[in-house]
Every structure is written in C-alpha cells, then in structure tokens.
Amino acid sequence: MESVIRPWSELEQSYDGTILLGNGASIAVSSRFAYRSLLECVRQRESLAEDARRLFDFFETEDFELILRIVWQASNVNKSLRIEDARTREAYLSIRECLIQAVRDVHPEHHEVSRQLPCIYDFLKRFDTVISLNYDLIVYWTMTYGLDKNDHHRFKDCFLARGVFAEDWQRLRALYGDEQSNTLVFYPHGSLVLCRNRIEHEHKIHIRGAGLLESILERWQSEEVVPLFVSEGTYKQKVNSIQNSFYLSTVYREVLVEPRESLVILGWGMGEHDIHLLKRMAGTGIQRVAVSVFRRDHAYCNRASQLIKDNLGQDVRIDFFDSESPGCWNKPPENQ
C-alpha cells in the first residue's frame, strides 16, 4: 500500500515544534550543494598533494575539518617548540587551500539565494527549534534576513555578543524586549560560521550579509582559526568529532534530548551515518513526525517509516508531505 503524500498546507497547523533539516533542503536552494563530498570535489580537481592524501587514508576519513585540525595542531606544536618541519606545514597549507577552494566551488554567494530567504524565513519561524545538519550558510542568512524585518520574531543560535556559546542556552527560549515569539537554531554537525582557535576555544564568526562567506574563508587563511563542522564521515567518526567539541557535544547531549511532541524532517535522507541523531530523540515524547518526500518517492516513504518506528517507537504517527508543495521551505504559498 502506497503512503499518502499530502501538501504541506494540510499539515502545518499540527507541526510547530522541532524541524530537522538535511542536505536536500540546501539542494532545493541551490543545485551546487548536490555533491558527493567536499573531498570528492577536490579529488576531481586533482589538487590534493600526495602527503595530504596519505593523511586522509591514514586516519580513514573524508572529513576535511578533522584532518585540517590535526595538521594545524601539529604545525602549531612544531612552531612553539621551534622544530623545523616544512613538510607538515606544506601539508596543512595544501589541505587548507583545497578546503577553501572546495567551499568556493560548491557554496553559492548571498546574492544567488537572497530571493529565497523570505520564504524560508516565513517557513522556519513557525518552529520553536531548528536543527540543521547542514554546515552551509542558508539558515544563517535566513536569520540575518529576519533581523531587518522587525516582525517581533527572533531567531537565536545561542551564541552571545562576543560569539561565545551560551552554556545555559535554555534561558534564551524566554521572550525578551518586544519579542512575541522566537526560534532556537542549532547545528549538530557544526557550521561554516563556527571556528576554533589555537587553544580550542570555539566561537562564531560575526559578519552580516553578503560578505560573510569570503570573510570566513579569509579567517581560515589567517591561520588564527580552523573551521568547526563535520562535513563527512562514518557514524563512529562523526560521533568522535562531536565528542571533541564543547558546542557539538552540548547539542548532542542536551538539545536533541529535549522533550518534544512533534518533529518535522525536511530533506534528510536518513543515512546510516546520521541515524544516531534520531536515536538521541527516542524517549523525548515525540508523538507525530512529518517527513518531506521529493518527487513522490514511495520507496523512501517505506524506508523512512520503518526507521522512524524502529528508533522512535511503533506508535508514532507519521505524515508525509510533498517537499515542493506551496509554502514548504523555499516555495511561496499559493496566495502569492
């Protein structure tokens, strides 16, 4: 029996809690995000030096951020101890430049997606929690778009004025000033806007608007920071990376296990390497889940239904909705 796939407008009144965004949401905004992995992009360009390739093989990972951080730390240790080691530094520079070029290749500029931000803003602001598995800037640009609207709704990523994450992030659910509603935003796999410095302190890069992407890449080139995001990897590799970050582990330990009645899943393929996120939400009180479906893929419906029931419980109600229906994500409502 085929699953019923409904327009988003028929479900939206029942779902205002948590939304989980996968890579399909970013691909809907720009087809440039439809790549296998950042490492695959670099391999196609054949720009990665032999030493750098050996590091990916040795650590058995495709995660650029992990390898960049390991070599950056080794280079800084050598520098602090005045150990001459040009080979380590050359490997670091090679990996860094390849990562920067890969991000430039796949990430659209602000002006290329800006027309879609109003629809995304109106779609996301109905939720009290946004959990984005994507490291790109789409959600961040949506948040900054909202700062200029002055419609008494506020998106908060729980990073304070100096770019430091609020350990008591729960207090930010309270309404401040003229806020009438708010949405908290989290990145379980990190984001381009997040970075670490030499002593492993994590913070957010603060620049609004069109120049943010280039500013982030300039910060990486400055050698003051390395990015904080988990771009690829197996389940075990991702969990290890999460445990090695205060911010990521806080999201994993605290945000994912918050009590919630409903969950919307948009653009997430539910690959085996990410199912640990669904497992973390078991026991949080989820009673209903709405899952986006692209181009009426009934095989995906069957697989998603089984995974959700296996991980969240057999009694959870599951609704499917068309990811391209009016009012969903970056699609204008019917009355526009």
Side-chain angles (χ1 to χ4, degrees), residues 222-265:
S222 73
E223 300 190 28
E224 297 173 1
V225 299
V226 287
L228 175 56
F229 69 89
V230 184
S231 57
E232 334 291 347
T234 65
Y235 158 73
K236 285 187 177 180
Q237 290 164 354
K238 286 190 173 182
V239 171
N240 285 340
S241 294
I242 288 167
Q243 291 172 341
N244 286 325
S245 160
F246 172 72
Y247 170 75
L248 299 184
S249 62
T250 300
V251 174
Y252 191 71
R253 286 183 291 102
E254 299 179 10
V255 177
L256 294 181
V257 299
E258 263 197 309
R260 51 177 59 87
E261 289 186 7
S262 68
L263 173 67
V264 173
I265 294 173

Side-chain angles (χ1 to χ4, degrees), residues 36-294:
R36 185 177 170 190
S37 72
L38 287 175
L39 184 56
E40 194 64 32
C41 292
V42 170
R43 282 175 172 154
Q44 289 174 0
R45 296 170 61 96
E46 297 183 348
S47 55
L48 201 61
E50 181 60 31
D51 276 358
R53 282 197 290 269
R54 286 178 182 169
L55 287 165
F56 282 96
D57 292 340
F58 180 83
F59 287 99
E60 298 180 345
T61 185
E62 293 191 348
D63 191 341
F64 253 112
E65 186 270 345
L66 172 64
I67 296 300
L68 185 67
R69 181 160 53 95
I70 289 171
V71 184
W72 185 60
Q73 289 170 336
S75 182
N76 282 330
V77 168
N78 289 338
K79 191 183 298 183
S80 68
L81 297 178
R82 298 180 182 176
I83 298 172
E84 292 293 331
D85 185 3
R87 193 169 178 180
T88 301
R89 174 149 179 81
E90 285 170 8
Y92 162 69
L93 293 174
S94 171
I95 295 166
R96 186 192 69 190
E97 293 311 309
C98 285
L99 175 59
I100 288 172
Q101 190 56 57
V103 170
R104 279 203 176 105
D105 285 348
V106 303
H107 203 295
E109 297 288 345
H110 184 272
H111 68 85
E112 296 177 84
V113 303
S114 58
R115 289 183 181 179
Q116 301 178 61
L117 299 181
C119 287
I120 297 174
Y121 175 83
D122 288 337
F123 175 75
L124 288 181
K125 75 175 191 176
R126 71 175 299 104
F127 300 99
D128 60 34
T129 306
V130 173
I131 297 174
S132 177
L133 304 184
N134 307 322
Y135 63 84
D136 60 62
L137 301 177
I138 303 302
V139 172
Y140 188 81
W141 279 335
T142 301
M143 293 170 60
T144 57
Y145 164 82
L147 292 175
D148 298 323
K149 275 189 69 75
N150 195 28
D151 64 352
H152 305 295
H153 184 85
R154 182 84 180 273
F155 282 88
K156 305 174 182 178
D157 59 15
C158 303
F159 283 85
L160 305 178
R162 294 184 179 180
V164 178
F165 181 66
E167 293 185 41
D168 55 347
W169 57 270
Q170 293 93 337
R171 69 178 171 83
L172 296 176
R173 291 207 181 275
L175 301 178
Y176 293 95
D178 62 352
E179 283 178 35
Q180 295 177 4
S181 56
N182 61 42
T183 301
L184 299 194
V185 176
F186 300 96
Y187 306 99
H189 292 161
S191 167
L192 289 178
V193 298
L194 307 181
C195 63
R196 313 181 206 232
N197 63 18
R198 288 189 179 93
I199 54 175
E200 294 286 290
H201 287 170
E202 302 168 354
H203 62 274
K204 185 176 79 170
I205 298 171
H206 272 293
I207 290 180
R208 283 178 60 185
L212 178 61
L213 181 59
E214 197 57 41
S215 298
I216 288 168
L217 301 181
E218 287 174 3
R219 288 294 303 277
W220 295 357
Q221 284 182 312
S222 73
E223 300 190 28
E224 297 173 1
V225 299
V226 287
L228 175 56
F229 69 89
V230 184
S231 57
E232 334 291 347
T234 65
Y235 158 73
K236 285 187 177 180
Q237 290 164 354
K238 286 190 173 182
V239 171
N240 285 340
S241 294
I242 288 167
Q243 291 172 341
N244 286 325
S245 160
F246 172 72
Y247 170 75
L248 299 184
S249 62
T250 300
V251 174
Y252 191 71
R253 286 183 291 102
E254 299 179 10
V255 177
L256 294 181
V257 299
E258 263 197 309
R260 51 177 59 87
E261 289 186 7
S262 68
L263 173 67
V264 173
I265 294 173
L266 177 69
W268 185 34
M270 297 194 205
E272 285 299 319
H273 52 289
D274 285 334
I275 289 297
H276 61 281
L277 300 168
L278 207 57
K279 292 180 185 295
R280 290 294 292 173
M281 295 188 195
T284 59
I286 295 174
Q287 299 173 15
R288 59 192 182 280
V289 180
V291 183
S292 73
V293 183
F294 182 66

